Amino acid sequence: MANLPRKLELFYDVLSPYSWLGFELLCRYQNIWNINLQLRPSFIPGILKDSGNKPPALVPRKGKYMMMDLQHLKNFYQVPIRIPKDFLTVILEKGSLNAMRFLTAVNMEKPEMLENVSRELWMRIWSRDEDITEPQSILAAAEKAGLSKEQAKSLLENSSTDKVKNKLKETTSAACNYGAFGLPTIVVHMDNKPCVIFGSDRMEMLAYLLGELESLSLSIIKTDIPCPTVLPTCQTYH
Amino acid sequence: MSCLPRKLELFYDLLCPYSWLGFEILCRYQNIWNISLQLRPSFLAAIIMDSDMEEYREKVGGDQRIQVPTKGIYGFNSYLEKLRKQEYMKNELQYLGKFCQVPIEIPRDLRGVLIDKGSLNAMRFLTSVHIEYPEMLEKVSRELWMRIWSRDEDITEPWSIQAAAEEAGFSRKQAMSLLKKSSTEEVKNKLRENTNTAYKYGAFGLPTIVAHMDTKPCVFFSSDRIELLAHLLGEQWQGPVPQALKGKL
């Protein structure tokens, strides 16, 4: 294809399970679609505060619905999500600030590792119900992703510098400037203007906008179109 | 296929453009999938208000009388106060409309249409149709959606509703009779009953789809879980405009 790849920014926070779904789907398609996927670690509480929105889990019915929804989606999209036992503490008290600062540091120093490290942090919080707030937790995820102990420690140190804190604020602001009120937020840079998509459930519409509908596997069960090999099966999760 | 059709209930309100998307997609698939689609006209404002009240009760605790904050009619303001969501919705609907081939156009005075005017009369009318002429419910719903969400026309006044009914195929006499029936207790109660049923299934908004599976009902919110629904039903998803219809749209 002679066209330049379309730039796609994915603003996400590892605290958000729907961000994980959107992330995995886009990672699978980044080498199939003519796109340039740019991961943008952001901070969801910053977005909620700026937009006046509140976490859906705080609305009792939405929280209950979300639990059920995630059970279906994890099977459908083959992402090994498991709800943490003490879900509200994980989301509301523990949060993800240190982890997102760490990912910001990774993005600045070793952007090629951002996908792997993000995934390992998600595996901790949203698959194995493990901590992501303590330094040792973050280091463990980083090493599992392939960073050496020294690299991981150095990035962790950088995480608490103003440079990294400001970068996280800046990325979060950028999402807000695009009109984000939650995460994941995907920004597709179309010819005339950016197209902003909220949530992980607009992939088909996104494929349509990109002119990539034919290469979209419309059903995870349908086998006419081969399932992308980037990260299809649960066996690759350890 | 020798299996009995799976019952699918679609709880919807005309006020909600996402309800229209869900409605059109399911209507397209009702003769392709082995399903029995049952349309359930409901009242969104009541669901939102009940959901908000439940949230306040849980915060306050017990059965205390709570001062419901001035959030506007039925708490709907809380939904649209978040201007950013409103802006997002306006943009997104243009793309979704094209993708799903549903001719959605945002009303000029969105807030006026959603908050000041609402949909109570129209939903009562649809409930009346549901009771008397259920086979016409799909067409009348569509004509009312075309008014509010495609041509930016009123759906609150009797003559507006009558026009939609006649466009759908009713005679003037039938339309007037159904309008008269709309304000009876029978119809008001039926609308409340549908709305409460959605609420009991856990609805916090519309559209809400309830698929009656073998073991238990599966509840889906909004119009973007239909691909997942297809997977759970063991049916094939062909996108929002299935092949069988491509020539006809």
Side-chain angles (χ1 to χ4, degrees), chain A residues 24-145:
Chain A
E24 291 298 357
L25 289 169
L26 286 176
C27 286
R28 289 168 191 174
Y29 280 98
Q30 65 183 324
N31 295 323
I32 298 175
W33 290 347
N34 188 26
I35 58 173
N36 172 9
L37 176 63
Q38 295 181 9
L39 301 176
R40 299 270 184 257
S42 314
F43 192 50
I44 198 167
I47 304 224
L48 296 177
K49 188 175 173 197
D50 192 71
S51 63
N53 198 9
K54 65 184 171 199
L58 284 188
V59 180
R61 304 197 137 228
K62 284 190 185 176
K64 283 189 194 113
Y65 177 77
M66 224 172 87
M67 300 299 118
M68 200 174 59
D69 190 41
L70 286 170
Q71 296 296 339
H72 284 140
L73 292 175
K74 74 166 199 189
N75 295 328
F76 185 57
Y77 290 126
Q78 295 178 43
V79 177
I81 289 178
R82 212 162 45 118
I83 315 289
K85 264 181 307 252
D86 190 359
F87 166 71
L88 285 175
T89 304
V90 166
I91 301 277
L92 300 174
E93 289 173 26
K94 296 181 81 179
S96 59
L97 184 55
N98 293 340
M100 296 320 295
R101 281 179 176 161
F102 185 79
L103 286 179
T104 304
V106 172
N107 198 16
M108 290 164 86
E109 307 262 335
K110 295 199 171 304
E112 70 283 4
M113 294 299 291
L114 183 56
E115 183 182 328
N116 284 357
V117 185
S118 302
R119 184 172 290 119
E120 289 306 330
L121 283 165
W122 263 308
M123 284 297 292
R124 286 187 71 89
I125 177 178
W126 276 106
S127 196
R128 299 194 299 266
D129 196 4
E130 292 171 355
D131 174 75
I132 58 160
T133 62
E134 299 293 332
Q136 55 263 27
S137 308
I138 296 174
L139 288 174
E143 286 176 52
K144 201 139 188 160

Side-chain angles (χ1 to χ4, degrees), chain A residues 18 47 50-54 58-62 64-66 68-69 72-73 75-77 175-177 179-181 190 193-202 204-205 208-209 213 217-222 224, chain B residues 18 47 50-52 54-56 58-59 71 82-86 88-89 91-92 95-96 98-99 198-204 216-225 227-228 231-232 235-240:
Chain A
Y18 292 98
I47 304 224
D50 192 71
S51 63
N53 198 9
K54 65 184 171 199
L58 284 188
V59 180
R61 304 197 137 228
K62 284 190 185 176
K64 283 189 194 113
Y65 177 77
M66 224 172 87
M68 200 174 59
D69 190 41
H72 284 140
L73 292 175
N75 295 328
F76 185 57
Y77 290 126
C176 292
N177 289 339
F181 49 84
M190 306 296 287
K193 61 167 190 171
C195 169
V196 183
I197 296 174
F198 167 66
S200 53
D201 32 38
R202 294 281 182 272
E204 213 177 2
M205 188 185 86
Y208 161 76
L209 292 173
L213 264 179
S217 177
L218 282 181
S219 165
I220 213 81
I221 301 301
K222 197 170 147 195
D224 290 350
Chain B
Y18 296 94
I47 291 186
D50 283 345
S51 211
D52 283 349
E54 184 185 64
E55 188 191 343
Y56 279 109
E58 290 210 7
K59 278 193 183 140
K71 299 172 89 182
K82 288 144 187 123
L83 291 175
R84 216 174 271 186
K85 271 192 184 171
Q86 185 181 337
Y88 175 79
M89 195 175 94
N91 279 324
E92 180 183 64
Y95 298 123
L96 282 174
K98 290 198 176 76
F99 177 52
Y199 193 69
K200 283 193 189 120
Y201 278 126
F204 48 85
K216 59 170 188 168
C218 262
V219 182
F220 302 95
F221 168 65
S222 201
S223 52
D224 47 32
R225 292 285 182 273
E227 186 187 354
L228 170 65
H231 167 66
L232 293 173
E235 299 281 3
Q236 195 186 44
W237 172 245
Q238 299 177 56

Side-chain angles (χ1 to χ4, degrees), chain B residues 14-58:
Chain B
L14 295 163
L15 210 62
C16 172
Y18 296 94
S19 279
W20 192 12
L21 293 168
F23 167 91
E24 291 298 356
I25 296 171
L26 287 176
C27 285
R28 290 166 189 167
Y29 277 100
Q30 65 184 324
N31 297 322
I32 300 176
W33 292 344
N34 189 27
I35 56 173
S36 161
L37 176 63
Q38 296 180 16
L39 302 177
R40 299 270 184 258
S42 312
F43 193 47
L44 176 60
I47 291 186
I48 291 181
M49 182 166 74
D50 283 345
S51 211
D52 283 349
M53 292 280 281
E54 184 185 64
E55 188 191 343
Y56 279 109
R57 266 191 211 105
E58 290 210 7

